[in-house]
Amino acid sequence: MDEMKKTEHDDQKLHIAMFPWLAFGHFLPFLHLSNHLSQLGHRISFISTPKNLRRLSEIISPDLSARIAMVPLPFPSVNGLPPDSAESTSELPSHLVPFLKRAYDKLQFPLTEFLQNSDVKWLINDFAPHWLPPIATRLGINSVFFSIYSATTLAFGGSPEDLLRHCEKQVEDLTEVPQWMPPQSKVAFRRYEVMSIHDQMDPDFSDFFRLAKVIQGCRFVATRSCSELETDSLSLLQKLYQKPVIPVGLMPSEVENSNGDQSWDSLRQWLDGNTQNSVLYIALGTEVTLSQDQMNELASGIEKSGLPFIWVVKTRDHPIITGFEDRVSGRGLIWTNWAPQKQILAHPSVGGF
């Protein structure tokens, strides 16, 4: 992000605001980028809603928490969301995500007030706030679109003009390789993937519209990628967007010392009792909710593998097929609490994910 270093004085530090979409798959990359920028001496304001910031504060290190100011914006009420005020995609079934996007759009008013009364010079935002670039411009703030997705994924969508045309297209069109991609490319969505994406779109402002407006209004694009992996896609993306596209790297997080964490102590003892590279770790993340059929098929595959395993099951998942736990007793763990994933994957007995 060299452009962010071009200040009147070489030693001038910036106040940078971060505004991610309301999903933990987005919060964490934004936090990793915040950490990197704070280590360069910049002041960081990480903006989201109260419940999300409380959850993030529980999982980030005290050192990082001390360097980043958490800025809570009141979560707006929206007809269609449950009364318990779910504030992230991890708390909602996919068909309610459009209502979460409407709530997110209502954050423009308290966010504008915060920006007006701050000395923020740069604003790094996600794909969703289509309304934000004009506000930033009016306030004299430079906006940056930070994509958590790969350059190839962004390139599939095409230019902002192509993205706006997607709003008029049929679902099936996204299952074909677009004409601007390289001839040898096979990148395209499967139909079930497109249907899942479509279910989570706000009918008033589609994700294509949101992304197009954010790209058109930003100073430059930063993507979680690197030139060693995506040289051609990064080059194509700059041609499509007609503005700088900067790979910020994959930003892997370090494995932290979890001594004293009872969850990890229990898991580590179990892992220590298995041979090297023998354990299969199954965790589908906070965003995925399996149907009953999918849960049954996954359980059947795990059972037939004969491998020792740790399976992280969320409380909102459908129940596991009857008798499964008895049949795999002694060689597997079904884990329903928060799982320290980095520590699990770093353990020598884990051989598959």
Side-chain angles (χ1 to χ4, degrees):
M1 292 189 171
D2 292 338
E3 291 196 26
M4 299 178 69
K5 299 177 182 177
K6 295 178 182 177
T7 56
E8 293 181 4
H9 305 286
D10 289 341
D11 59 349
Q12 183 177 347
K13 303 304 180 185
L14 303 172
H15 185 184
I16 303 169
M18 314 290 287
F19 187 54
W21 162 236
L22 303 176
F24 276 80
H26 292 243
F27 291 144
L28 297 180
F30 270 76
L31 270 177
H32 294 156
L33 182 58
S34 298
N35 182 34
H36 174 73
L37 293 171
S38 71
Q39 288 176 343
L40 296 175
H42 301 303
R43 284 193 297 132
I44 306 297
S45 291
F46 195 95
I47 305 169
S48 191
T49 58
K51 189 175 183 180
N52 290 320
L53 293 182
R54 284 195 299 271
R55 289 183 64 188
L56 288 171
S57 297
E58 294 171 358
I59 63 174
I60 64 175
S61 67
D63 180 54
L64 178 57
S65 180
R67 294 199 305 270
I68 296 176
M70 296 293 190
V71 179
L73 302 181
F75 187 78
S77 61
V78 171
N79 289 333
L81 286 180
D84 59 355
S85 296
E87 296 182 13
S88 72
T89 56
S90 65
E91 303 169 279
L92 292 169
S94 60
H95 71 276
L96 292 183
V97 171
F99 298 102
L100 188 66
K101 288 175 179 170
R102 295 175 190 177
Y104 185 78
D105 288 342
K106 286 189 174 184
L107 292 175
Q108 65 179 287
F109 304 109
L111 176 59
T112 301
E113 183 178 1
F114 167 77
L115 294 173
Q116 285 175 328
N117 296 307
S118 74
D119 61 348
V120 169
K121 298 299 183 186
W122 288 82
L123 173 62
I124 302 178
N125 57 264
D126 218 322
F127 77 94
H130 59 94
W131 38 266
L132 189 50
I135 294 172
T137 299
R138 176 168 58 83
L139 297 176
I141 297 172
N142 298 295
S143 65
V144 178
F145 166 46
F146 172 46
S147 171
I148 70 161
Y149 302 110
S150 67
T152 302
T153 301
L154 290 178
F156 177 85
S159 68
E161 294 74 24
D162 293 318
L163 287 165
L164 291 173
R165 283 192 286 271
H166 279 314
C167 300
E168 312 298 327
K169 289 187 175 183
Q170 300 298 314
V171 167
E172 289 76 10
D173 294 326
L174 295 175
T175 63
E176 300 175 356
V177 180
Q179 51 87 18
W180 54 80
M181 294 294 282
Q184 71 277 14
S185 176
K186 296 183 180 179
V187 174
F189 286 102
R190 297 176 178 86
R191 182 178 173 81
Y192 74 87
E193 293 173 327
V194 177
M195 297 305 298
S196 175
I197 294 170
H198 185 267
D199 288 345
Q200 299 183 47
M201 286 198 192
D202 177 2
D204 295 330
F205 301 104
S206 75
D207 289 4
F208 303 120
F209 176 86
R210 293 172 182 274
L211 179 56
K213 291 301 181 181
V214 164
I215 294 168
Q216 287 176 333
C218 72
R219 179 84 172 268
F220 63 88
V221 174
T223 182
R224 191 169 63 158
S225 182
C226 58
S227 56
E228 292 84 352
L229 288 177
E230 296 192 291
T231 302
D232 294 340
S233 293
L234 288 165
S235 177
L236 173 60
L237 210 52
Q238 291 208 130
K239 294 176 183 177
L240 291 169
Y241 291 174
Q242 292 296 296
K243 60 181 58 182
V245 176
I246 299 174
V248 297
L250 302 180
M251 297 186 299
S253 55
E254 296 180 0
V255 177
E256 298 170 2
N257 188 339
S258 296
N259 290 335
D261 184 328
Q262 291 183 348
S263 294
W264 172 234
D265 288 344
S266 175
L267 285 166
R268 183 178 54 199
Q269 289 178 14
W270 186 86
L271 288 167
D272 287 345
N274 289 275
T275 58
Q276 186 171 352
N277 296 328
S278 66
V279 176
L280 178 64
Y281 176 59
I282 306 105
L284 303 181
T286 58
E287 307 298 318
V288 176
T289 301
L290 297 180
S291 68
Q292 187 65 71
D293 286 344
Q294 290 171 325
M295 286 290 288
N296 293 346
E297 288 295 322
L298 182 54
S300 177
I302 293 170
E303 183 177 351
K304 291 177 180 177
S305 74
L307 296 170
F309 67 89
I310 297 174
W311 183 7
V312 180
V313 178
K314 299 184 294 296
T315 54
R316 72 169 190 267
D317 283 329
H318 289 277
I320 300 173
I321 189 169
T322 303
F324 172 80
E325 294 187 51
D326 291 335
R327 292 192 297 272
V328 299
S329 177
R331 72 171 175 91
L333 283 182
I334 298 171
W335 196 257
T336 57
N337 298 320
W338 176 79
Q341 183 158 288
K342 290 181 291 184
Q343 287 82 0
I344 294 172
L345 292 173
H347 195 281
S349 70
V350 175
F353 179 23

